[in-house]
Structures are given as C-alpha cells and as structure tokens.
Amino acid sequence: MFIPPKKYLDKLAEEKSQDLPKGKIFLKNSHLHISMEIADMLFDTAHHVYISYKPDVQRLFIVPNTDEVFRKLHEPSQQMLKDLPQNNHKSIALHEILIDNDLSDENRDLEYEIREKKQMLVIQF
C-alpha cells in the first residue's frame, strides 16, 4: 500500500476545504446547504420543511412543516431537512425546483434573508 508523503497529504486536505463555499447558505450538487446555527434557529427540531419557489420574485421560501397557514396559502412541496454533521450543515434537495424553473444548478453561495418572527428563510436566486 502506498502512503503519500505528508506534504502531499496537507495539500489534499487544503483542496478539500477549498471545495466547500464559505457562506452560511449555499447550493452544492443541487442541494441547498444551511449552516446548523441558522437551521436550528428557524427549524428547531423539524425534520421536514415546506418549500415554495415564486418565479415572479425569484425567491425560494422555506418554513418548518408545522406552518399550516403557509401550506394553505402557497401550495408548497414538502422536503426532508437532512443532517450533515460532518459539515455542521443541514441540506434540502432542490433538484425539482431547479429543473422546473430552469434555474442554474451551479455550486455557489446564495443571498438570503431570515424572517425570525415567521420562522422563514427566504433565498434569492
């Protein structure tokens, strides 16, 4: 078995850390990644969220699945909020939203707004 010298291992570790965007909310491989601190603040112990994309304002609205008013007003889809403990993030699959609305699936940081009173995360696309 070949074990590379330490200087190459350090270089590999640096490349892996550069692979992840630096923001608290970003798109990677068609998944929305949300930092744990934001997810805990907005979604608490919820394991599912409602998401609704509004093409006229190019925004994605995300709320916990306990928000019945949002469900009735916006006809959202329900998605699983997955834990990624190795990255200290939570993620939501956005394949359907990206394809249906012809949005870029390029890995990138995203602009966002937190509406704490409504427990809502608004993502700008």
Side-chain angles (χ1 to χ4, degrees):
M1 181 166 117
F2 174 75
I3 300 174
K6 181 168 175 30
K7 67 179 180 178
Y8 295 115
L9 290 174
D10 293 341
K11 187 176 178 182
L12 284 172
E14 287 175 20
E15 287 175 7
K16 282 184 182 177
S17 66
Q18 291 172 358
D19 192 30
L20 288 175
K22 304 291 186 240
K24 293 186 178 202
I25 296 183
F26 56 91
L27 188 67
K28 183 175 181 190
N29 300 329
S30 298
H31 284 76
L32 180 69
H33 289 250
I34 304 167
S35 74
M36 198 67 81
E37 67 184 77
I38 293 173
D40 287 345
M41 175 177 46
L42 294 175
F43 310 125
D44 197 26
T45 59
H47 295 289
H48 291 84
V49 292
Y50 288 134
I51 62 174
S52 178
Y53 180 75
K54 301 296 180 189
D56 53 334
V57 292
Q58 295 184 337
R59 286 188 167 87
L60 178 69
F61 297 89
I62 307 169
V63 299
N65 68 333
T66 55
D67 190 337
E68 289 301 312
V69 174
F70 185 85
R71 184 183 63 81
K72 290 178 181 177
L73 290 175
H74 299 282
E75 298 178 14
S77 64
Q78 185 170 321
Q79 294 289 334
M80 182 183 287
L81 187 61
K82 297 177 221 148
D83 286 327
L84 299 174
Q86 70 274 19
N87 297 334
N88 203 24
H89 285 97
K90 292 194 178 210
S91 76
I92 302 168
L94 294 182
H95 305 292
E96 184 178 336
I97 299 279
L98 297 173
I99 291 169
D100 289 350
N101 295 287
D102 198 27
L103 298 170
S104 170
D105 63 350
E106 176 184 331
N107 294 349
R108 64 189 183 278
D109 286 336
L110 295 169
E111 292 182 33
Y112 63 94
E113 175 186 345
I114 296 173
R115 298 181 184 171
E116 268 188 86
K117 249 183 176 178
K118 297 180 181 179
Q119 285 189 295
M120 180 183 293
L121 179 61
V122 182
I123 309 291
Q124 174 71 44
F125 274 91

Coordinates of all heavy atoms in Angstrom, one line a residue, residues 24-79:
K24 N -22.9 30.8 4.7 CA -23.7 30.1 5.6 C -24.8 29.3 4.9 O -25.3 28.4 5.4 CB -24.3 31.0 6.7 CG -23.2 31.5 7.6 CD -23.9 32.3 8.8 CE -22.8 32.8 9.7 NZ -23.2 33.1 11.0
I25 N -25.1 29.8 3.7 CA -26.1 29.2 2.9 C -25.6 29.1 1.4 O -25.2 30.1 0.9 CB -27.5 29.9 2.9 CG1 -28.0 29.9 4.4 CG2 -28.5 29.3 1.9 CD1 -29.4 30.5 4.6
F26 N -25.6 27.9 0.9 CA -25.0 27.7 -0.5 C -25.7 26.6 -1.2 O -26.3 25.7 -0.5 CB -23.5 27.6 -0.4 CG -23.0 26.5 0.4 CD1 -22.7 25.2 -0.1 CD2 -22.7 26.7 1.8 CE1 -22.2 24.2 0.7 CE2 -22.2 25.7 2.6 CZ -22.0 24.4 2.0
L27 N -25.5 26.6 -2.5 CA -26.0 25.5 -3.3 C -24.8 24.6 -3.7 O -23.8 25.1 -4.2 CB -26.7 26.1 -4.6 CG -27.4 25.1 -5.5 CD1 -28.7 24.6 -4.7 CD2 -27.9 25.8 -6.7
K28 N -24.9 23.3 -3.5 CA -23.9 22.4 -3.9 C -24.5 21.1 -4.3 O -25.3 20.5 -3.6 CB -22.9 22.1 -2.7 CG -21.8 21.2 -3.1 CD -20.8 21.0 -2.0 CE -19.7 20.1 -2.6 NZ -18.8 19.6 -1.5
N29 N -24.2 20.7 -5.6 CA -24.8 19.5 -6.2 C -26.3 19.4 -6.1 O -26.9 18.4 -5.7 CB -24.2 18.2 -5.5 CG -22.7 18.2 -5.7 OD1 -22.1 18.7 -6.6 ND2 -22.0 17.6 -4.7
S30 N -26.9 20.5 -6.4 CA -28.4 20.7 -6.4 C -29.0 20.5 -5.0 O -30.2 20.2 -4.9 CB -29.0 19.7 -7.4 OG -28.6 20.0 -8.7
H31 N -28.2 20.7 -4.0 CA -28.8 20.7 -2.6 C -28.5 22.0 -2.0 O -27.4 22.6 -2.1 CB -28.1 19.6 -1.8 CG -28.6 18.2 -2.1 ND1 -28.2 17.5 -3.3 CD2 -29.4 17.4 -1.5 CE1 -28.8 16.4 -3.3 NE2 -29.5 16.2 -2.2
L32 N -29.5 22.5 -1.3 CA -29.3 23.7 -0.5 C -28.7 23.4 0.8 O -29.3 22.6 1.6 CB -30.7 24.4 -0.3 CG -30.7 25.7 0.5 CD1 -30.0 26.8 -0.3 CD2 -32.1 26.1 0.8
H33 N -27.5 23.9 1.2 CA -26.9 23.7 2.4 C -27.1 24.9 3.3 O -26.9 26.0 2.9 CB -25.4 23.5 2.2 CG -25.0 22.2 1.6 ND1 -24.4 21.2 2.3 CD2 -25.3 21.7 0.3 CE1 -24.3 20.1 1.4 NE2 -24.8 20.5 0.3
I34 N -27.6 24.6 4.5 CA -27.9 25.7 5.5 C -27.0 25.4 6.7 O -27.0 24.3 7.3 CB -29.4 25.7 5.9 CG1 -30.2 25.8 4.6 CG2 -29.7 26.7 6.9 CD1 -31.7 25.5 4.9
S35 N -26.3 26.4 7.2 CA -25.5 26.2 8.4 C -26.4 25.8 9.6 O -27.6 26.2 9.7 CB -24.7 27.5 8.8 OG -25.6 28.5 9.3
M36 N -25.8 25.0 10.5 CA -26.6 24.5 11.6 C -27.2 25.6 12.5 O -28.3 25.4 13.0 CB -25.7 23.5 12.4 CG -26.4 22.6 13.3 SD -27.4 21.3 12.4 CE -26.1 20.2 12.0
E37 N -26.4 26.7 12.7 CA -26.9 27.7 13.6 C -28.2 28.4 13.0 O -29.1 28.6 13.7 CB -25.8 28.8 13.8 CG -25.4 29.6 12.6 CD -24.3 30.6 12.9 OE1 -23.2 30.1 12.9 OE2 -24.6 31.8 13.0
I38 N -28.3 28.6 11.7 CA -29.5 29.1 11.1 C -30.6 28.1 11.1 O -31.7 28.4 11.4 CB -29.2 29.6 9.6 CG1 -28.2 30.8 9.6 CG2 -30.5 30.0 8.9 CD1 -27.7 31.2 8.3
A39 N -30.3 26.9 10.7 CA -31.3 25.8 10.7 C -31.9 25.6 12.1 O -33.1 25.5 12.2 CB -30.7 24.5 10.2
D40 N -31.1 25.6 13.1 CA -31.6 25.4 14.5 C -32.5 26.6 14.9 O -33.5 26.4 15.6 CB -30.4 25.2 15.5 CG -29.8 23.8 15.3 OD1 -30.4 23.0 14.7 OD2 -28.7 23.7 15.9
M41 N -32.1 27.8 14.5 CA -32.8 29.0 14.9 C -34.2 29.0 14.3 O -35.2 29.3 14.9 CB -32.0 30.2 14.5 CG -32.8 31.5 14.7 SD -31.9 33.0 14.3 CE -31.2 32.6 12.7
L42 N -34.3 28.6 13.0 CA -35.5 28.7 12.2 C -36.4 27.4 12.3 O -37.6 27.5 12.4 CB -35.3 29.0 10.8 CG -34.7 30.4 10.5 CD1 -34.4 30.5 9.0 CD2 -35.6 31.5 11.0
F43 N -35.7 26.2 12.2 CA -36.5 25.0 12.1 C -36.5 24.1 13.3 O -37.1 23.1 13.4 CB -36.0 24.2 10.9 CG -35.9 25.0 9.6 CD1 -34.7 25.1 8.9 CD2 -37.0 25.7 9.2 CE1 -34.6 25.9 7.8 CE2 -36.9 26.5 8.0 CZ -35.7 26.6 7.3
D44 N -35.7 24.5 14.3 CA -35.6 23.8 15.6 C -35.5 22.3 15.4 O -34.5 21.9 15.0 CB -36.9 24.2 16.5 CG -36.7 23.9 17.9 OD1 -35.5 23.8 18.4 OD2 -37.7 23.6 18.6
T45 N -36.5 21.5 15.8 CA -36.4 20.1 15.7 C -37.1 19.5 14.5 O -37.2 18.3 14.4 CB -36.9 19.4 17.0 OG1 -38.3 19.8 17.1 CG2 -36.1 19.9 18.2
A46 N -37.6 20.3 13.6 CA -38.3 19.8 12.4 C -37.4 19.0 11.5 O -36.2 19.4 11.3 CB -38.9 21.0 11.7
H47 N -37.9 17.9 11.0 CA -37.2 17.1 10.1 C -37.6 17.3 8.7 O -37.0 16.7 7.7 CB -37.3 15.6 10.5 CG -36.7 15.3 11.8 ND1 -35.3 15.3 12.0 CD2 -37.2 15.0 13.0 CE1 -35.0 15.1 13.3 NE2 -36.2 14.9 13.9
H48 N -38.7 18.0 8.5 CA -39.3 18.3 7.2 C -39.6 19.8 7.1 O -39.9 20.4 8.1 CB -40.5 17.5 6.9 CG -40.2 16.0 6.7 ND1 -40.1 15.2 7.8 CD2 -40.0 15.2 5.6 CE1 -39.9 13.9 7.4 NE2 -39.8 14.0 6.1
V49 N -39.5 20.3 5.9 CA -39.8 21.7 5.6 C -40.8 21.8 4.4 O -40.8 20.9 3.6 CB -38.6 22.6 5.4 CG1 -37.7 22.7 6.7 CG2 -37.7 22.0 4.3
Y50 N -41.5 22.9 4.4 CA -42.2 23.3 3.2 C -41.4 24.3 2.4 O -40.8 25.2 2.9 CB -43.6 24.0 3.5 CG -44.6 23.0 4.1 CD1 -45.3 23.4 5.3 CD2 -44.9 21.8 3.5 CE1 -46.3 22.6 5.8 CE2 -45.9 21.0 4.1 CZ -46.6 21.4 5.2 OH -47.5 20.5 5.7
I51 N -41.3 24.0 1.1 CA -40.6 25.0 0.2 C -41.5 25.4 -0.9 O -42.3 24.6 -1.5 CB -39.3 24.4 -0.3 CG1 -39.5 23.2 -1.2 CG2 -38.3 24.1 0.8 CD1 -38.3 22.7 -1.9
S52 N -41.4 26.7 -1.3 CA -42.2 27.2 -2.3 C -41.4 28.2 -3.1 O -40.8 29.2 -2.5 CB -43.5 27.9 -1.8 OG -44.2 28.5 -2.8
Y53 N -41.2 28.0 -4.4 CA -40.4 29.0 -5.2 C -41.4 29.9 -6.0 O -42.4 29.4 -6.6 CB -39.6 28.2 -6.3 CG -38.8 29.1 -7.1 CD1 -37.7 29.8 -6.6 CD2 -39.1 29.4 -8.4 CE1 -37.0 30.7 -7.4 CE2 -38.4 30.3 -9.2 CZ -37.3 30.9 -8.7 OH -36.6 31.8 -9.5
K54 N -41.2 31.2 -5.9 CA -42.0 32.2 -6.6 C -41.2 32.8 -7.7 O -40.3 33.6 -7.5 CB -42.5 33.3 -5.6 CG -43.2 32.7 -4.4 CD -44.5 32.1 -4.9 CE -45.3 31.6 -3.7 NZ -46.5 30.8 -4.1
P55 N -41.5 32.3 -9.0 CA -40.7 32.8 -10.1 C -40.8 34.3 -10.4 O -39.8 34.9 -10.8 CB -41.2 32.0 -11.3 CG -42.4 31.3 -10.8 CD -42.5 31.4 -9.4
D56 N -41.9 34.9 -10.0 CA -42.0 36.4 -10.3 C -41.1 37.2 -9.5 O -40.6 38.3 -9.9 CB -43.5 36.8 -10.1 CG -44.0 36.4 -8.7 OD1 -43.5 35.4 -8.1 OD2 -45.0 37.1 -8.2
V57 N -40.7 36.8 -8.3 CA -39.7 37.5 -7.4 C -38.4 36.7 -7.3 O -37.5 37.2 -6.7 CB -40.3 37.8 -6.0 CG1 -41.4 38.8 -6.1 CG2 -40.7 36.5 -5.3
Q58 N -38.3 35.6 -8.0 CA -37.1 34.7 -8.0 C -36.6 34.4 -6.6 O -35.4 34.6 -6.2 CB -36.0 35.3 -8.8 CG -36.4 35.4 -10.3 CD -35.2 35.9 -11.1 OE1 -34.3 36.6 -10.6 NE2 -35.2 35.6 -12.4
R59 N -37.5 34.0 -5.7 CA -37.2 33.7 -4.3 C -37.8 32.3 -3.9 O -38.9 31.9 -4.4 CB -37.7 34.8 -3.4 CG -36.9 36.0 -3.5 CD -37.4 37.0 -2.4 NE -36.4 38.1 -2.2 CZ -36.5 39.2 -3.0 NH1 -37.4 39.4 -3.8 NH2 -35.6 40.1 -2.8
L60 N -37.0 31.6 -3.1 CA -37.5 30.4 -2.5 C -37.8 30.6 -1.1 O -37.0 31.2 -0.3 CB -36.3 29.3 -2.7 CG -36.6 28.0 -2.1 CD1 -37.6 27.2 -2.9 CD2 -35.3 27.2 -2.0
F61 N -39.0 30.2 -0.7 CA -39.4 30.4 0.7 C -39.4 29.0 1.4 O -39.9 28.1 0.9 CB -40.8 31.0 0.7 CG -40.9 32.4 0.1 CD1 -41.2 32.5 -1.2 CD2 -40.7 33.5 0.9 CE1 -41.2 33.8 -1.8 CE2 -40.8 34.8 0.4 CZ -41.0 34.9 -1.0
I62 N -38.8 29.0 2.6 CA -38.7 27.7 3.3 C -39.2 28.0 4.8 O -38.7 28.9 5.4 CB -37.2 27.3 3.4 CG1 -36.6 27.2 2.0 CG2 -37.1 25.9 4.1 CD1 -35.2 27.0 1.9
V63 N -40.1 27.1 5.2 CA -40.6 27.2 6.6 C -40.7 25.8 7.2 O -40.7 24.8 6.4 CB -42.0 27.8 6.6 CG1 -42.0 29.2 6.1 CG2 -43.1 27.0 5.9
P64 N -40.8 25.6 8.5 CA -41.0 24.3 9.1 C -42.3 23.7 8.6 O -43.3 24.4 8.3 CB -41.0 24.5 10.6 CG -40.5 25.9 10.8 CD -40.7 26.6 9.5
N65 N -42.4 22.4 8.6 CA -43.7 21.7 8.1 C -44.8 21.9 9.1 O -45.9 21.4 8.8 CB -43.4 20.3 7.7 CG -43.1 19.4 8.9 OD1 -42.6 19.9 9.9 ND2 -43.4 18.1 8.8
T66 N -44.6 22.5 10.2 CA -45.7 22.8 11.1 C -46.5 24.0 10.8 O -47.5 24.3 11.4 CB -45.1 22.9 12.6 OG1 -44.1 23.9 12.5 CG2 -44.5 21.6 13.0
D67 N -46.1 24.8 9.8 CA -46.7 26.1 9.4 C -47.9 25.8 8.5 O -47.7 25.8 7.3 CB -45.7 27.0 8.8 CG -46.2 28.4 8.6 OD1 -47.5 28.6 8.6 OD2 -45.4 29.3 8.5
E68 N -49.1 25.6 9.1 CA -50.3 25.2 8.3 C -50.7 26.4 7.4 O -51.3 26.2 6.3 CB -51.4 24.7 9.2 CG -51.1 23.4 9.7 CD -50.9 22.3 8.6 OE1 -51.7 22.2 7.7 OE2 -49.9 21.6 8.7
V69 N -50.6 27.6 7.9 CA -51.0 28.8 7.1 C -50.2 28.9 5.8 O -50.8 29.1 4.8 CB -50.8 30.1 8.0 CG1 -51.1 31.3 7.2 CG2 -51.7 30.0 9.2
F70 N -48.9 28.7 5.9 CA -48.0 28.8 4.7 C -48.5 27.7 3.8 O -48.6 27.9 2.6 CB -46.6 28.6 5.1 CG -45.6 28.7 4.0 CD1 -45.1 29.9 3.6 CD2 -45.2 27.6 3.3 CE1 -44.2 30.0 2.6 CE2 -44.3 27.7 2.3 CZ -43.8 28.9 1.9
R71 N -48.7 26.5 4.3 CA -49.2 25.4 3.4 C -50.4 25.7 2.6 O -50.5 25.4 1.4 CB -49.4 24.1 4.2 CG -49.7 22.9 3.4 CD -50.0 21.6 4.3 NE -51.1 21.8 5.1 CZ -52.4 21.6 4.7 NH1 -52.6 21.3 3.5 NH2 -53.4 21.7 5.6
K72 N -51.4 26.3 3.3 CA -52.7 26.6 2.6 C -52.5 27.8 1.7 O -53.2 27.8 0.6 CB -53.7 26.9 3.7 CG -54.1 25.7 4.5 CD -55.1 26.0 5.5 CE -55.5 24.7 6.3 NZ -56.4 25.0 7.4
L73 N -51.7 28.7 1.9 CA -51.5 29.9 1.1 C -50.7 29.7 -0.2 O -50.9 30.2 -1.2 CB -51.0 31.1 1.9 CG -51.9 31.7 2.9 CD1 -51.1 32.8 3.7 CD2 -53.1 32.3 2.3
H74 N -49.6 28.9 0.0 CA -48.6 28.8 -1.1 C -48.5 27.5 -1.8 O -47.7 27.3 -2.7 CB -47.2 29.1 -0.5 CG -47.1 30.5 0.1 ND1 -47.0 31.6 -0.7 CD2 -47.2 31.0 1.4 CE1 -47.0 32.7 0.0 NE2 -47.1 32.3 1.3
E75 N -49.3 26.5 -1.4 CA -49.2 25.1 -2.0 C -47.8 24.7 -2.2 O -47.3 24.4 -3.3 CB -50.0 25.2 -3.4 CG -51.4 25.5 -3.2 CD -52.1 25.5 -4.6 OE1 -51.6 25.1 -5.6 OE2 -53.3 26.1 -4.6
P76 N -47.0 24.6 -1.1 CA -45.6 24.2 -1.2 C -45.4 22.7 -1.4 O -46.3 21.9 -1.2 CB -45.1 24.7 0.1 CG -46.2 24.5 1.0 CD -47.4 24.8 0.2
S77 N -44.2 22.3 -1.7 CA -43.8 20.9 -1.6 C -43.1 20.7 -0.3 O -42.6 21.6 0.3 CB -42.9 20.5 -2.8 OG -41.7 21.2 -2.7
Q78 N -43.2 19.4 0.2 CA -42.6 19.1 1.5 C -41.3 18.4 1.2 O -41.2 17.5 0.3 CB -43.5 18.2 2.3 CG -42.9 17.9 3.7 CD -43.9 17.2 4.6 OE1 -45.1 17.6 4.6 NE2 -43.5 16.3 5.4
Q79 N -40.2 18.8 1.8 CA -38.9 18.2 1.6 C -38.3 17.8 3.0 O -38.6 18.4 4.0 CB -37.9 19.2 0.9 CG -38.3 19.5 -0.5 CD -38.1 18.3 -1.5 OE1 -37.3 17.5 -1.2 NE2 -38.9 18.3 -2.5

